[in-house]
Amino acid sequence: MKILVPVKRVIDYNVKPRVKADGTGVDLANVKMSMNPFDEIAVEEAIRIKEAGKAEEIVAVSVGPAKAQETLRTALAMGADRAILVETDEEVEPLAVAKILKAIADEEQPGLVVLGKQSISDDSNQTGQMLAALMNRPQGTFANTVEIDGDAVVVKREIDGGLETVKLTMPAIVTTDLRLNEPRYASLPNIMKAKKKPLDTKTPADFGVDITARLTTTNVAEPPVRQAGEKVEDVDALVAKIKELGIA
Amino acid sequence: MNTLVLVEHDNASVNDATLAVVTAAAKLGDVTALVAGADCGGAAEAAAKIAGVSKVLKADDAAYGEGLAENVAPLVAGIMADYDALLAPATTSGKNIAPRVAAMLDVMQISDILSVEGPKTFTRPIYAGNAIATVESSDEKLVITVRGTAFEKAAAEGGSAAIEDVSGAGDAGISSFVSREVADGGDRPELTSAKVIVSGGRALKDGETFEQIINPLADKLGAAIGASRAAVDAGYVPNDYQVGQTGKIVAPEVYIAIGISGAIQHLAGMKDSKVIIAINKDEDAPIFQVADIGLVADLFNAVPEMTSAL
């Protein structure tokens, strides 16, 4: 079985994003970028499935600018076998990404596609579900545990109120939640080896996918700022305040 | 505009999150509620009573009982032929199904909206709530998930909509439900609809201490219990307690953050609370920048003292 792992280059999760003064977006100039944290978990899970002897090859894919190569090299250094960069400087929406991924999946015929549940930039939480719909394959979203069981995959999912287990006929699409695993760090020798692993570059046009945006962002603003309130001296003062609020 | 609301329910009653979705849908036009489930007559009756719902579609089939996206999405996509917009709650269930419907209709979903600015214009948070984007759709049909805490809840009583039976293709045969483990919350209010939330962080040391310190205070206040990601990752509490970008988004009247530093991941999940109270021994903790009332103190002394004084 082959596993396809889409990864996205996003602003590093430790960086506090700044909204541009003209309201056109978030300032990404000279900001540290990294692999989307949920995608690291996806790469890690794919590697663990391969290490367990349930998969032969891991193909990492990214849709984005030339610099997304760095993100793919990170995936290769973690343990992916080869990579495909679908290069474009446009901002590509989840629907178009899903269409590109479907075209790649049609060529590669993976048994599993493992994606992060959402990107921490646009917070959409759509691509995996959309890909599953386009491929007419089952989806195991917000995965907490993934087990391959013959030609099916059993996914324990994080849902509101607890956990739910579903069994999906492969090929299937899985999206990762935070607690699925702890991603490994790429070691220096592996980073060096990753430089020699194959990385194909394509364009959205190679797959015949129209990436014209369906949504227009007309403004990006700072959220309303909360004013810091007052600090109270001691517990008694705090209790008095709580009583004023009328909740006790 | 004819809008279809995907009702979240347990086959007997309607989930609170759906009431906020009805409010958002009513801003766009006429509201039809879709109840898909197995033996879901009770939920359909409840949906018919929601103020503002003009019609209820009931799809009663064993295949829809567990809310599997592979079965429910084709049903919804088929019904959407007669509607201009689909609105679903931005819960794990809505987030699972709605994008699948959107792709089947070849439209881009608008996730987690905070407001309706026009017939095709909405605001939504990006970058963990660090920016608010205004987006306009050029798609013919809209597929939207709605942040429950951003809209008033429609009244659960007062409506008298007609219930109509609909059917779809049923079981797609590519997925099956195995089991569900529901975390035991006891008699506590549900986290996303609670008026008061007491939330604990990593400073609570371990699960036992968390329970000893947080539970009595929550009991006194009739509050739901939340936690930061750090407390969940450390295993003090189950993960459905987690408040934050990757957990639950809450906006109670009072949010009491105990031993929580206030990382942006956490703030994204609770900064719309009406009053935020923070107890932390580090006076420079970022939580104090958003707290209305702060107490710099050791929680192990302060919280029990507080609990007994209340």
Side-chain angles (χ1 to χ4, degrees):
Chain A
M1 178 178 76
K2 196 187 280 185
I3 303 180
L4 194 65
V5 187
V7 295
K8 186 174 179 182
R9 181 175 183 265
V10 298
I11 188 168
D12 188 89
Y13 75 99
N14 283 313
V15 175
K16 185 168 164 50
R18 283 177 203 285
V19 173
K20 286 192 219 166
D22 62 2
T24 54
V26 164
D27 196 354
L28 298 178
N30 304 315
V31 171
K32 186 183 178 208
M33 305 290 277
S34 307
M35 189 190 297
N36 182 40
F38 291 104
D39 303 349
E40 288 186 352
I41 296 170
V43 174
E44 175 66 33
E45 194 65 18
I47 297 166
R48 289 188 190 189
I49 293 169
K50 188 182 168 193
E51 286 171 346
K54 304 266 171 88
E56 288 84 46
E57 191 184 28
I58 300 168
V59 183
V61 185
S62 192
V63 179
K67 282 195 166 166
Q69 271 197 37
E70 295 165 11
T71 312
L72 288 169
R73 291 288 173 205
T74 305
L76 293 169
M78 286 173 74
D81 298 291
R82 61 188 171 89
I84 303 170
L85 171 64
V86 182
E87 195 178 324
T88 169
D89 286 327
E90 302 292 317
E91 188 76 24
V92 189
E93 291 173 342
L95 181 62
V97 172
K99 287 178 180 176
I100 293 169
L101 294 176
K102 179 190 185 288
I104 294 173
D106 286 346
E107 279 178 18
E108 301 281 347
Q109 295 291 321
L112 272 183
V113 185
V114 187
L115 306 87
K117 77 164 176 182
Q118 75 188 56
S119 133
I120 60 165
S121 53
D122 64 12
D123 288 335
S124 289
N125 195 331
Q126 300 175 8
T127 308
Q129 295 89 316
M130 288 180 154
L131 176 63
L134 297 175
M135 293 174 68
N136 195 21
R137 298 310 310 165
Q139 63 191 48
T141 50
F142 324 139
N144 174 287
T145 313
V146 175
E147 272 172 48
I148 310 290
D149 177 11
D151 55 2
V153 55
V154 177
V155 180
K156 192 180 272 191
R157 307 177 51 231
E158 296 195 4
I159 58 166
D160 297 330
L163 294 164
E164 170 184 292
T165 305
V166 291
K167 190 169 185 178
L168 314 172
T169 309
M170 292 203 287
I173 285 76
V174 170
T175 76
T176 63
D177 217 319
L178 274 178
R179 279 159 286 268
L180 179 57
N181 61 46
E182 188 97 21
R184 69 192 66 189
Y185 289 101
S187 65
L188 189 58
N190 286 343
I191 292 170
M192 301 310 288
K193 275 185 216 152
K195 293 182 177 168
K196 298 204 176 84
K197 288 185 179 176
L199 191 156
D200 278 348
T201 303
K202 307 259 189 185
T203 67
D206 292 340
F207 302 104
V209 174
D210 176 9
I211 58 167
T212 310
R214 308 288 189 86
L215 303 180
T216 315
T217 300
T218 54
N219 185 44
V220 176
E222 294 269 0
V225 182
R226 278 192 87 99
Q227 296 299 318
E230 49 176 330
K231 282 192 180 141
V232 293
E233 280 303 311
D234 54 24
V235 171
D236 290 342
L238 180 59
V239 168
K241 288 274 180 194
I242 289 177
K243 286 188 171 159
E244 264 174 51
L245 291 170
I247 57 165
Chain B
M1 195 184 278
N2 285 323
T3 70
L4 187 69
V5 168
L6 182 62
V7 174
E8 187 166 330
H9 62 88
D10 60 2
N11 289 318
S13 61
V14 170
N15 176 306
D16 255 11
T18 304
L19 301 175
V21 182
V22 169
T23 303
K27 288 178 191 281
L28 292 171
D30 190 54
V31 182
T32 298
L34 170 64
V35 177
D39 289 325
C40 57
E45 299 280 341
K49 288 189 191 130
I50 300 172
V53 172
S54 62
K55 186 161 74 173
V56 174
L57 303 179
K58 182 176 75 157
D60 205 329
D61 188 318
Y64 307 136
E66 307 295 348
L68 291 173
E70 296 79 7
N71 298 349
V72 176
L75 168 78
V76 180
I79 293 169
M80 279 301 289
D82 298 327
Y83 293 87
D84 307 302
L86 172 73
L87 291 93
T91 55
T92 48
S93 162
K95 288 174 181 172
N96 189 38
I97 296 169
R100 193 163 176 119
V101 176
M104 293 179 81
L105 299 173
D106 193 31
V107 306
M108 249 307 284
Q109 174 180 290
I110 306 161
S111 296
D112 221 8
I113 63 162
L114 300 173
S115 72
V116 176
E117 301 291 318
K120 294 209 164 186
T121 311
F122 307 89
T123 63
R124 59 175 305 264
I126 54 175
Y127 291 96
N130 281 292
I132 308 295
T134 306
V135 295
E136 192 177 347
S137 173
S138 61
D139 282 320
E140 212 155 286
K141 289 181 193 288
L142 299 171
V143 175
I144 295 165
T145 60
V146 177
R147 178 170 290 194
T149 57
F151 293 86
E152 293 287 325
K153 291 185 178 72
E157 300 285 338
S160 57
I163 300 174
E164 197 178 294
D165 282 309
V166 292
S167 58
D171 195 342
I174 49 176
S175 62
S176 56
F177 173 80
V178 178
S179 64
R180 191 169 291 137
E181 303 155 41
V182 178
D184 184 19
D187 296 331
R188 285 187 199 291
E190 206 262 319
L191 195 54
T192 50
S193 56
K195 283 201 163 65
V196 183
I197 294 174
V198 179
S199 203
R202 183 160 42 198
L204 271 308
K205 283 207 174 83
D206 56 44
E208 203 180 316
T209 317
F210 190 102
E211 215 168 273
Q212 279 167 8
I213 301 272
I214 301 291
N215 290 28
L217 179 60
D219 288 339
K220 269 266 167 81
L221 299 172
I225 296 178
S228 69
R229 183 179 158 191
V232 170
D233 282 351
Y236 305 172
V237 289
N239 58 41
D240 54 311
Y241 281 52
Q242 185 184 321
V243 172
Q245 183 193 13
T246 54
K248 294 215 170 75
I249 313 285
V250 299
E253 280 172 26
V254 182
Y255 187 91
I256 307 181
I258 297 172
I260 291 177
S261 64
I264 57 173
Q265 188 325 106
H266 187 74
L267 298 182
M270 47 66 83
K271 65 182 167 47
D272 294 325
S273 307
K274 275 207 187 85
V275 177
I276 297 173
I277 299 174
I279 302 172
N280 202 302
K281 69 175 176 192
D282 174 9
E283 62 178 313
D284 297 323
I287 191 79
F288 287 121
Q289 291 163 20
V290 301
D292 299 281
I293 306 168
L295 173 65
V296 180
D298 183 352
L299 68 92
F300 296 101
N301 301 324
V303 178
E305 201 182 316
M306 221 174 119
T307 305
S308 56
L310 281 164

